[in-house]
Amino acid sequence: MITLSNFLLIGAGLFCIGIYIILSKRNAIQILIGIELIINSAILNLVAFGKYDKVNNAGQAFALFGIVLAAAAVAVALAIILNVYRQYKTIDPSKVEKLKG
Amino acid sequence: MNIDQILFCVMGFVALTSALLVAISNNLVRSLFMFFVTLFALAGLYVFALADFVAVTQVVIYVGGVLVLMLFAFMLSNKEVLNNLQQSNSKFISVGKLPAVLVAVLFAIVLINAILKAAPDTLQWVKASAQSNNIIKPTDNTINNIGINLMTRYLLPFEIISVLLMMTLIGAAHLARKEEHKL
Amino acid sequence: MEAAIPYTTNENIALLALLAVLLPLVAGIGNALFLPKQSKLSAWVSTIAILISLALAVDVFARVWSQHTASIHLQYLWFTIGQTQIVAGVWLNNLSVLMLLLVCIIALPVHIYSMAYMKGDERYTRYFAYLSLFCFAMLGLVIVDNLILVYLFWELVGFASYLLIGFWFTRDKAVQANKKAFIMNRIGDVGLMIAIGIIYAMFHTFDLDLLFGRGNLAAQSHIQSGLWTTIGHYTINALGVPIASSSAGQLPAYCYYIMCAGIILAVAAKSAQFPLHTWLPDAMEGPTSVSALIHAATMVAAGIFLLGRVYPMFTPDVLTIIAAIGCFTAFMAATIALTQNDLKRILAYSTISQLGFMVMGMGVGAYSSSLFHLATHAFFKCLLFLSAGVIIHEMSHLKHKHHLDIDPQSILHMGGLRKLMPVTFITCSIAALALIGFPLTSGYLSKDGILIQAFEWSQDKSWAYIIIPIGALLTSLLTTFYIARLIFKVFFGQSRLRHIDANIEPEAHEGDWRLSVPMVMLAACSLFPLFSFNPLEYKHAWLVNGLGGVLDLESSYHILVPVVINGVGLLVIYLAYAVYVKQNVHWLKQKGLLFNLSFNQWYIDTFYNGVIVKLVLFIGKVLYWFDQHILDGFVNALAAIGIALSKVSAWFDRYIIDGILHLITDIVKQAGNFIRGFQTGRVQNYLFTMLFIILVVYVLKTFI
């Protein structure tokens, strides 16, 4: 049997990997990937619990919304990364440390 | 061991492994393509969670949209940007990554601990819904259900999401516009 | 002595005397403070002050002098210490008014003479200020009734003498001389202070009247079996009520002898007796008019005056010692004066010799004769000095005119001035005859009085006592010789300047009337009519009778002594004439031991300089070394310790106290730097921190 906790464990694993990526990568786009991974793990969680709610089907509906939000986040993030690159000539977040507009 | 269990394990393993590869590889292109694989594996896992529409949506939007967008953004940049993006730390195990590893491992321990303690299978509402037959069966028509729910119960979030998308569109377009040289 | 006319009460007479004393002080202060340096007005101020003082002195003298021993005593309460009251005031008895009159009479001609003598001096005003100060001090000395005031005026007289001797202080010799005079006078002052202290310890009073006058306490004390005892006495306090102010006192006998020694020391210092006589010849560095007033007539007489005041105190042993000192001094000075060449030095040693006479007179009991001699000596010695001044003045004129390199005071270059300066010659001769004691002069009366009484004093005692009168006799003969030598060398013969330069025509003339008139006046006073109508008997002199009179002993000395003296004196004068004028007697050699002894003043000065002065200077050097190295070294060591302590403290302050502060600031700085390290500006770091905190919170919540 595929229990609920299996899904949750996988989701937890993905979440932690995402955390790791965010904290340790030197490339902003890789950090973006990490953020996507985290959002994906959250969506997996939603979907896993959504199996037990047929009437409202809240799990799957909100999973869709989550995907939409992820897409929006990517778009805006890429635009920000572009701007950051224009200003600092690098997208290494550890080099972007000064508050200059 | 059923075939679905085995398949589930495989999917899960692929998802986690590719995610790990995403984390490990320093090359951006490699990590993007590994992410690509992760997303597909996740879609497979959605199917196992009896969320077929979500799985397909995931493939279409996430893989076909978001990932392609990132690839385009990366590929269509200038040569200096590419060079800059390519240059990254070539060491595999470095001390600078230790805090991140630490936090990630601890988070993992904490989450796994919480999940195992919480024993989600034995939650009250989960059991109740399992007994009251509120559970999605593999033979259900989920699209129908999602469609009706979106238009009735979740109409407000739906509209807000569309407004949000519009804002995102405008905002991203504005942020990314070419700078006019102001004197 | 109440009189009917109110203004002649005793109190008023005493106040007149006080006024006579204070006028010169006012004149002196006025001269010093208000007049410019070379003002002729200053001389007139001083002279008029002394003239008025003279008038007042005559008045007081006329009222107080009598043949009996009445006196006027005016007292005020001066200060109180505990139970003791010290009174001060004026005491006018015969001795006081005599001295008052004498000082004024001598001071007036000297003031007039000084007006012309000091003409052109650049510190003219100051001279008269000092002269008036001196007159004030001397007049004050003679009328006060209190031993403390006597000491005060004694010192003031010494101080005025110091100022006047060193008047031309730009000359090194004058400065040395006035230092010497002052130091020797101070030695005497110490003796006087000790004596006054002992007197007070014994009698518990400073009052001269009580001690030596009517109260006569001093005479009533006696020495018995090693103790000096006295009776108690009463004083009259301000309300006229007699109160007991002391009970019978007793001190060991040596205190009496110490007191007498103190008095003798004071007299020896002030009146230039052996061994403190060496200051007087050196004091001739001052102006001649000063020498005339101070060192001939008045200040040096202050010692004799003191002896006169305290005379009732002495026992016969002490009086014998006094007589011996006086006789020895007189003899010594006379021998020294025989060979000196400086005109003023001869006169200075003559003064010492005559003062020795007076001291000896006091010692042999000739109290009134001694004071009589003081009075007559004042006149003729002052006159001798004034004429010496005129002569020296003329010699220095000749020196400048002919550009000679001579000492104007040396008699070796004088001669033949008899024809050129007749008035000076006549007055000087009269004074010289008075000094010799020639009949018909006042000096004859006084000196013979002393000699006769000396012989009478010695005739009841053992044979050794005859030495004193014999010594006095010899001294008189020596006096005759040296003064005759002076007169002959200066006035007779040819001018010895011709020995230096044969072309010199010696010219000299008398000074103006201000130089001559005082000399004539003093010459008149040197003759007998002033003092007695009988030129041959000293007993009838009014001065002698006023001072206590003499015992009417008809001994053969009354005839013998004057005849011998005057007869041998005439021979001596002829001898001097033969040696110095005729120059046909040559057995008085100018070489040999006696000559050297006399010429070098018995080597006393050399001895003082070589031994005592060097000793004192050496002690001074030792003390200076001690002060510099040990006292200052001690102080420097303390300072060094202080500095070392301060260095330690500085180190402590810098390294430990500041160190603690620096430590605290460093801790804060390091903490700040550390915490600032969290603000990296990197997003990933912030995220890491956030997650870490969440983990920590979860872990804590779960497991604790």
Side-chain angles (χ1 to χ4, degrees), chain A residues 42-98:
Chain A
I43 292 170
L44 181 60
N45 233 8
L46 279 168
V47 163
F49 274 106
K51 188 170 143 187
Y52 297 96
D53 187 16
K54 181 174 168 183
V55 170
N56 291 334
N57 221 352
Q60 293 185 10
F62 279 99
L64 289 172
F65 289 147
I67 291 173
V68 170
L69 283 169
V74 166
V76 174
L78 281 173
I80 289 173
I81 287 173
L82 191 70
N83 261 338
V84 165
Y85 177 71
R86 279 197 201 136
Q87 176 72 32
Y88 294 96
K89 302 291 181 257
T90 179
I91 56 171
D92 187 350
S94 61
K95 302 249 185 317
V96 177
E97 55 188 2
K98 295 206 181 5

Side-chain angles (χ1 to χ4, degrees), chain A residues 1 25 36 51 54 56 91, chain B residues 5 23 62 85 134 149:
Chain A
M1 275 292 288
K25 288 295 175 186
E36 293 306 306
K51 188 170 143 187
K54 181 174 168 183
N56 291 334
I91 56 171
Chain B
Q5 268 183 324
Y62 234 116
L85 294 173
N134 206 3
N149 273 327

Side-chain angles (χ1 to χ4, degrees), chain C residues 161 165 177-178 180-182 184-185 268-273 275-286 290-297 299-301 329 333 344-356 377 381 385 601 605 608:
Chain C
S161 159
I165 293 172
N178 76 353
K180 189 176 188 178
F182 194 70
M184 284 193 159
N185 266 321
K270 193 66 86 179
S271 295
Q273 301 299 297
L276 295 171
H277 65 278
T278 52
W279 65 270
L280 193 51
D282 288 344
M284 297 298 126
E285 295 292 332
V290 162
S291 304
L293 180 61
I294 298 184
H295 305 125
M299 189 188 91
V300 293
T329 308
K344 285 174 77 171
R345 270 196 176 230
I346 297 177
L347 294 176
Y349 279 105
S350 169
T351 307
I352 297 176
S353 182
Q354 295 301 305
L355 288 168
H377 172 266
K381 194 44 71 65
F385 269 105
Q601 299 136 50
D605 239 345
Y608 283 165

Side-chain angles (χ1 to χ4, degrees), chain A residues 19 22-25 31 93-94 96-97, chain C residues 680-685 687-689 691:
Chain A
I19 292 273
I22 292 176
L23 289 180
S24 72
K25 288 295 175 186
I31 292 175
S94 61
V96 177
E97 55 188 2
Chain C
T680 53
R682 297 184 190 139
V683 179
Q684 282 171 314
N685 290 358
L687 188 59
F688 168 73
T689 315
L691 291 172

Side-chain angles (χ1 to χ4, degrees), chain B residues 25-91:
Chain B
S25 69
N26 290 322
N27 197 346
L28 180 60
V29 180
R30 293 223 176 118
S31 56
L32 274 171
F33 278 105
M34 285 298 115
F35 190 51
F36 185 71
V37 173
T38 309
L39 290 171
F40 268 113
L42 274 174
L45 280 172
Y46 291 161
V47 168
F48 270 107
L50 306 178
D52 44 351
F53 182 64
V54 179
V56 174
T57 310
Q58 159 103 338
V59 173
V60 167
I61 293 178
Y62 234 116
V63 178
V66 172
L67 204 60
V68 169
L69 174 64
M70 289 202 312
L71 273 171
F72 274 160
F74 167 65
M75 296 292 188
L76 292 175
S77 311
N78 287 342
K79 200 154 181 264
E80 290 91 26
V81 179
L82 278 174
N83 282 339
N84 260 339
L85 294 173
Q86 292 271 353
Q87 278 170 16
S88 49
N89 208 351
S90 55
K91 279 199 196 150

Side-chain angles (χ1 to χ4, degrees), chain C residues 47-320:
Chain C
T47 310
I48 291 180
I50 204 72
L51 187 64
I52 299 178
S53 288
L54 176 62
L56 292 171
V58 169
D59 189 26
V60 169
F61 182 82
R63 288 186 211 285
V64 176
W65 182 268
S66 69
Q67 309 291 337
H68 315 290
T69 53
S71 63
I72 297 178
H73 193 180
L74 184 67
Q75 275 184 321
Y76 296 105
L77 180 64
W78 188 10
F79 58 87
T80 311
I81 299 180
Q83 302 288 1
T84 327
Q85 290 180 322
I86 310 287
V87 289
V90 170
W91 185 37
L92 299 171
N93 71 348
N94 283 347
L95 180 59
S96 314
V97 298
L98 174 68
M99 291 297 295
L100 189 70
L101 184 62
L102 182 70
V103 170
C104 287
I105 285 189
I106 298 288
L108 182 64
V110 171
H111 274 78
I112 299 175
Y113 182 90
S114 301
M115 275 205 280
Y117 190 74
M118 301 295 289
K119 186 170 67 173
D121 192 289
E122 57 177 6
R123 281 182 287 273
Y124 195 72
T125 311
R126 204 195 283 188
Y127 173 82
F128 278 98
Y130 289 162
L131 206 61
S132 296
L133 175 71
F134 171 79
C135 290
F136 159 69
M138 192 68 205
L139 291 169
L141 178 63
V142 301
I143 66 164
V144 289
D145 77 330
N146 182 333
L147 276 173
I148 298 180
L149 285 176
V150 163
Y151 186 73
L152 189 149
F153 280 105
W154 186 268
E155 289 209 25
L156 201 57
V157 166
F159 179 62
S161 159
Y162 160 85
L163 288 174
L164 283 165
I165 293 172
F167 181 69
W168 291 316
F169 57 79
T170 49
R171 286 175 26 189
D172 184 48
K173 266 193 173 183
V175 169
Q176 300 290 335
N178 76 353
K179 252 198 291 187
K180 189 176 188 178
F182 194 70
I183 290 174
M184 284 193 159
N185 266 321
R186 282 312 269 162
I187 298 174
D189 289 350
V190 167
L192 187 58
M193 196 187 318
I194 293 173
I196 292 177
I198 293 179
I199 289 179
Y200 186 75
M202 183 69 184
F203 299 105
H204 301 290
T205 177
F206 289 111
D207 196 332
L208 287 173
D209 197 11
L210 275 175
L211 285 168
F212 307 110
R214 286 172 286 192
N216 219 5
L217 281 177
Q220 289 173 1
S221 69
H222 49 275
I223 298 183
Q224 218 180 11
S225 60
L227 284 175
W228 184 28
T229 53
T230 182
I231 60 170
H233 69 276
Y234 289 91
T235 51
I236 313 290
N237 71 356
L239 298 172
V241 176
I243 52 167
S245 78
S246 83
S247 48
Q250 237 184 28
L251 285 176
Y254 66 79
C255 291
Y256 173 76
Y257 291 110
I258 293 176
M259 184 209 73
C260 288
I263 298 268
I264 293 172
L265 197 66
V267 170
K270 193 66 86 179
S271 295
Q273 301 299 297
F274 179 82
L276 295 171
H277 65 278
T278 52
W279 65 270
L280 193 51
D282 288 344
M284 297 298 126
E285 295 292 332
T288 311
S289 38
V290 162
S291 304
L293 180 61
I294 298 184
H295 305 125
T298 41
M299 189 188 91
V300 293
I304 313 295
F305 169 75
L306 182 70
L307 272 183
R309 276 281 203 236
V310 302
Y311 192 72
M313 176 79 72
F314 297 122
T315 61
D317 318 325
V318 176
L319 285 176
T320 310

Side-chain angles (χ1 to χ4, degrees), chain C residues 469-481:
Chain C
I470 299 286
L473 201 66
L474 280 172
T475 309
S476 305
L477 294 173
L478 288 172
T479 307
T480 313
F481 188 80

